[in-house]
Amino acid sequence: MVRNYIKKKVGPEINERDVEEAVKLVLEKNVPIRQAAESFGLVHTMLFYRIKKAKALLKTNLPSEHTDIRVPSAPAPLLTFNSKYTSNQVFSAQEEKMLEEYIITCSAMNYGLTYKIIRALAFQYAEKLGRCPKKWEDNKTAGLDWLKGFMKRHKDLSLRKPENTSLARTLGFNRKNIEEFQKNLDDVYKKHKFSPSDIYNLDETGIKTVVQAPNVVAKKGTKQVGQVVSGERGSLITMVATVNAAGNTIPPVFIFPRARLHDSLMVGAISGSLGFVNSPTSGWITNALFLKVLEHFVKYSHCSKESPVLLILDNHESHCTLDAILYARDNGICIVTIPPHCSHRVQPLDVSILGPFKQNLATVQNNWLTNNPGSKLSIHDLAGLASKAFNLAFTRKNILKGFEECGIWPYSTTVFTDEDFPFSEAMITSSTPTPDTTKSSNLGRENENYSQGTSNARPTGSTSIENESLNDGILNKTVAVSPSPEVVRPYPQLQAKSSVECKKGREPGKSKIITATPEKIRLEEEIKRKLLEKQKKEELRKQRDIKAKRKLDLPEKNKKSGHNKRRKTNKHKSISYESDCDDPDPIYMESGESDWVESSEEDDNFDRPNLSKQVKICPMLEKYYAVFYDISWYLGRVVDFPDEGFSKIKFLKEGLGDSYEWPKHDDVQVIENKYLFYGPVPLIGNGPFLIDDKCKRRIRSKYSMLKK
């Protein structure tokens, strides 16, 4: 099928009024077809087929008892003529109009349809109407030719690249939040009578050393076109920008991920700009840095209690601290916050300024890389490059347009209409928006009536053509109603989260006048509540530490009595070490001077070792012992006795699979004998060495008790 057919022969246009008059002459006065055609300058073959259609229409409009075609005496309305292409369409003009409205509504909800989804929707819609072509049924989708024709017939539709919009922004931008923000603006306007030069908007934006490169010219047909950038991810700094409703700007503030601010970081920056540092790993703004930003703002806005200004910003936690609020109140700054997740629509900087700024920044950075081949862009160059993009984007025209689009200045409560909240309202109220406001609750019954061919079925979003007949004398016929595509594919619908489901139990954010006295009092009470909770947690922690210390400081007599009792009850469990280990020496052999007595309970209950007597290790040469250390225990061999009460230990290192081996460089230390808490330890193998599992459990149990 030719999609772009150009008609080769263009004939004279046919006057449909003349065609109707000729049809009436033939039907009413029995004038021959050729004579009627000649009298109106028409082709007789064309008139023949028009008369045939008119007779068929008259026959279908007559009651069932009429068998003959009766020619009416009343004048007939204009006959509607459809070309052969229109008559062969799958959907009627009204059905295609509903499909167009459905696609536009889904796009307004931020759930736009792709070409593939539209073709699948058209197939399902045609199946619902009972007019699905065979080829569509075979492929389970509408044809590409139909899609191209549909897009040509509906000029309001076009393929667009959407901007990523988070679900939080989609849900947060609703009429309730916007009305609350506009009410706060109205209150401060009435109280202070601000002029455009007194209305400011402040916002932070991140600037990276690696941004998306701009479009470049390359050979046509090239599969992949590359452009050099500084790295894979890059470093980030923060730029704080401030503009007012009169079209003016305040020099920006830059925040760098450094421990100390160096002069090279601010080379090329706009005159009056400030530079701050956060930490070596972060370039984000903090509570303390925002307080310095406010000082910079006061310096250039010249605000005071006698001449206050309005500052509009988002609900970031650094903006809503008590120190910032007190400083703003002392210097005549009235702060109004915008609703959460609404900055893309109600913040002038986001609406019309920061977008062009990022585009110009990408171009400026690309020019720098092109002019400095082989060089990498660093954060030392960002302030100068950002200043060039700042001058190109922060123009008076862009600034004024941003305040106007948001309805801040000139102040307007009608800047956002119902069409701007189609999806968020649906989620909050749990009602699906439709192009037709009159939605019937009996949708299922009406669809059933439509499928049965009844004439009084009116599903949601449907249209009808009533009283369309050949003339007034014939029985008026109501054309069957077509259902909306919403019946096949309902509009997306989500439930709004309640305040109980909010993260960490916090209340959902909203627009506030945070410098107002009630908000300041609320914030002070919140800080006091957090301090009390912190004090309670600290007291509970101290009480737990005291209890734990008391348990450790129990009298020795109580420990011994409990130990003897356990020994009596477990006498029948006494097992010699030889039964646990094939080694001829005991796993915990002490010298004759040791007063340690092995408990029969330890063989099976090594999680509760016997500490009734103080363990004293008398080390022997060339034997292996477990050495206590604060964070772990280590295994080593005694190689010498340099002094009384000290041993020279050559340590092993732990290898793979719970094995031990000698390190590449000898690790020899002089250790006090009191830190040797278990041994001699028999080792298995000649290197790497292994320890018997039961022996290792005993060592770990003993170490855990000593560590306490």
Side-chain angles (χ1 to χ4, degrees), residues 235-236 256-260 277-283 379:
S235 303
L236 178 140
F256 299 93
R258 286 289 185 271
R260 292 181 299 275
V277 293
N278 182 0
S279 70
T281 59
S282 174
I379 61 173

Side-chain angles (χ1 to χ4, degrees), residues 192-237:
H192 296 287
K193 306 294 182 182
F194 290 118
S195 63
S197 58
D198 298 330
I199 303 171
Y200 289 86
N201 176 219
L202 181 146
D203 192 26
E204 301 89 8
T205 184
I207 302 175
K208 291 185 177 181
T209 55
V210 177
V211 296
Q212 180 62 44
N215 295 341
V216 296
V217 179
K219 183 180 178 180
K220 188 175 182 180
T222 306
K223 292 185 178 179
Q224 185 174 357
V225 178
Q227 187 73 1
V228 67
V229 292
S230 296
E232 296 295 335
R233 301 181 65 179
S235 303
L236 178 140
I237 70 172

Side-chain angles (χ1 to χ4, degrees), residues 599-613:
S599 171
S600 60
E601 182 189 4
E602 279 193 355
D603 293 327
D604 298 315
N605 301 316
F606 33 78
D607 289 335
R608 299 191 303 272
N610 184 2
L611 298 177
S612 61
K613 293 185 178 181

